[in-house]
Amino acid sequence: MDVKKQGVYLKDWQGLAECAERMLPLIGHLYRDNNIVTTVFGRPLVNSTTIDILKAHRFARLILDHELSVLDTFPILEEMAKLDLAPARIDIGKLITRYQAQGSATSVADFVRQELAAINTGRAPVLDEPQDVVLYGFGRIGRLLARLLVEKSGSGEKLRLRAAVVRKAGDDDLVKRASLLRRDSVHGHFNGIITIDEEENAIIANGNMIRIIYSDAPENVDYTQYGITNAILIDNTGKWRDREGLGRHLKAQGISKVVLTAPGKGDVPNVVSGVNNELITREEQIFSAASCTTNAIVPVLKAVNDRFGIASGHVETCHSYTNDQNLIDNYHKNNRRGRSAPLNMVITETGAAKAVAKVLPELTGKLTGNAIRVPTPNVSLAILNLELSRPTEVKELNEYLRDMSLDSPLQNQIDYTNSPEVVSSDFVGSRHACVVDSLATITQGSRCVLYVWYDNEFGYSCQVVRMVQKMAGLELPCLPS
């Protein structure tokens, strides 16, 4: 064993870790004081650990032809902290790549000032006043939305989670709901501290007071008595999916808009964040965030259709089991779903293909779809078997999708991997709507098959939050442009 080399590796690691540690207070300062969200090729650094920062830089090797080091990005971050910046999302990975590409003619300080000149205008409030948000339901999606909203609270000037409405399940209801928010078998422990305030019947998560309100009917809640006004309510129960049912929330005092975390029926606008945001208007009060599968496949379908054209196709999803299935064989109103979810692959229907047409009308009648529920608790896989309008090659198709994931209007929705070893559990916690598995891509003339992973819980919840941010007018500029 080369002992000398072993020492070099350890010394190099310690140097990188020390540099990452120095980045932490700068990232925190920019976020809390200026509402600056820092990323590395889309990987968020806010609320990260030293190891998280190093791993985010390590990820860049899948995108670039070389390694990206914290020793390179630290000077960029250091200069950013010296400026008086307005709220924005800043990708320091892209900044250092652009700086290195232009050579050393300009100092880092001058380069950062030039690139961020548009927002070097002084700290400013993101909104005139914080946007109140209410969760109606506190199940799988509701609790993940709570985690995300608490994480993004920043200086308290953006989205502000005020309450969750549930049916009281027992005398220890508050304690149990706090425990479910604190611990999750799939997504791990809550990143922070959770306590309860029994007098206010509230969960305190990282300083955010979330009142737990008990009600059996949407219209019976008076939110204004809790100081909640003009709130966006996210209904994650799925109990009501049409305009009439969801409209019951608007009869409650303090609610101005409603978002459904399931496909909407009738004339309820189905929005996939990043794709058809134009449906979010001031006049409309009721929206659907569509389904997790629709959010996963629509961005890729749009990207492919824009470049290559889609003549026809079939979408097959291998979807993790959900709460509407049985743990062991028992009666179920739907075919096959009564069979044990952890023990079987279950063929079932999906409305994703039809839902695509609501979001991308140009694909109406061109797609079919089906689903297989598989014995995993989270992360699903969509297989897109498409007939394109022209021939293509694997390299052309993959490079195009990689570019879309890096620098396009869909970069928050589409992620990309070229690892030969990834499996479903590697995508737990993915914040993108979907991840293109490039090494699985197949082409044959004008036919292609794409394999797209998605965290059907967390990735979808991120899409819902993006949609709510758009509704609230929370659209931070993304730099470098």
Side-chain angles (χ1 to χ4, degrees), residues 136-151:
Y136 199 91
F138 208 51
R140 297 296 301 150
I141 299 302
R143 292 193 297 273
L144 290 178
L145 288 171
R147 287 186 175 205
L148 284 165
L149 290 167
V150 167
E151 172 192 297

Side-chain angles (χ1 to χ4, degrees), residues 110-380:
D110 289 341
F111 170 79
V112 170
R113 278 196 297 271
Q114 291 169 11
E115 289 291 322
L116 305 184
I119 61 168
N120 191 19
T121 54
R123 188 189 187 285
V126 185
L127 298 173
D128 291 337
E129 59 182 34
Q131 173 65 61
D132 287 350
V133 178
V134 171
L135 298 174
Y136 199 91
F138 208 51
R140 297 296 301 150
I141 299 302
R143 292 193 297 273
L144 290 178
L145 288 171
R147 287 186 175 205
L148 284 165
L149 290 167
V150 167
E151 172 192 297
K152 294 177 179 294
S153 60
S155 57
E157 298 175 346
K158 300 187 286 187
L159 300 180
R160 184 170 59 179
L161 177 58
R162 301 295 305 280
V165 183
V166 297
R167 291 182 178 182
K168 189 170 184 178
D171 293 338
D172 58 353
D173 185 273
L174 182 64
V175 173
K176 284 189 175 294
R177 293 190 188 279
S179 180
L180 283 168
L181 181 60
R182 183 182 294 114
R183 304 175 182 88
D184 190 285
S185 300
V186 172
H187 300 281
H189 281 72
F190 175 81
N191 188 22
I193 295 174
I194 290 177
T195 58
I196 61 172
D197 183 333
E198 292 186 356
E199 183 180 352
E200 299 290 345
N201 205 59
I203 296 172
I204 315 301
N206 290 356
N208 294 263
M209 187 169 77
I210 309 165
R211 293 183 184 274
I212 303 300
I213 301 172
Y214 301 120
S215 178
D216 292 328
E219 60 270 21
N220 291 343
V221 185
D222 180 1
Y223 295 98
T224 59
Q225 67 176 305
Y226 305 105
I228 300 170
T229 59
N230 195 38
I232 297 174
L233 181 144
I234 306 175
D235 185 328
N236 53 92
T237 67
K239 185 174 181 179
W240 305 279
R241 293 171 58 187
D242 59 12
R243 187 173 293 275
E244 181 181 359
L246 294 168
R248 295 173 63 182
H249 292 296
L250 297 174
K251 297 177 182 179
Q253 296 294 315
I255 302 300
S256 62
K257 292 184 184 292
V258 179
V259 176
L260 168 67
T261 61
K265 294 182 177 180
D267 65 343
V268 174
N270 282 260
V271 177
V272 172
S273 180
V275 176
N276 61 340
N277 287 352
E278 70 277 1
L279 295 185
I280 300 175
T281 62
R282 289 184 178 272
E283 296 73 27
E284 182 59 72
Q285 291 181 287
I286 298 175
F287 302 91
S288 159
S291 71
C292 56
T293 298
T294 303
N295 275 267
I297 64 177
V298 160
V300 174
L301 289 171
K302 174 174 172 52
V304 172
N305 190 56
D306 286 350
R307 171 64 68 91
F308 303 97
I310 295 175
S312 63
H314 177 77
V315 178
E316 192 74 35
T317 63
C318 298
H319 197 293
S320 295
Y321 59 77
T322 61
N323 267 337
D324 85 321
Q325 294 174 259
N326 293 329
L327 287 175
I328 57 176
D329 292 0
N330 205 350
Y331 174 82
H332 196 293
K333 65 180 180 178
N334 291 330
N335 295 335
R336 309 191 205 225
R337 292 198 188 189
R339 302 299 297 279
S340 173
L343 299 177
N344 294 289
M345 292 191 293
V346 180
I347 297 175
T348 187
E349 72 283 346
T350 175
K354 292 182 179 179
V356 168
K358 291 185 177 182
V359 183
L360 299 175
E362 59 269 32
L363 295 183
T364 300
K366 293 184 177 182
L367 300 174
T368 58
N370 217 351
I372 305 169
R373 293 289 177 94
V374 296
T376 54
N378 184 42
V379 179
S380 301

Side-chain angles (χ1 to χ4, degrees), residues 2 331 410 414 466 475:
D2 189 334
Y331 174 82
L410 294 172
I414 300 175
R466 292 182 187 113
E475 291 189 281

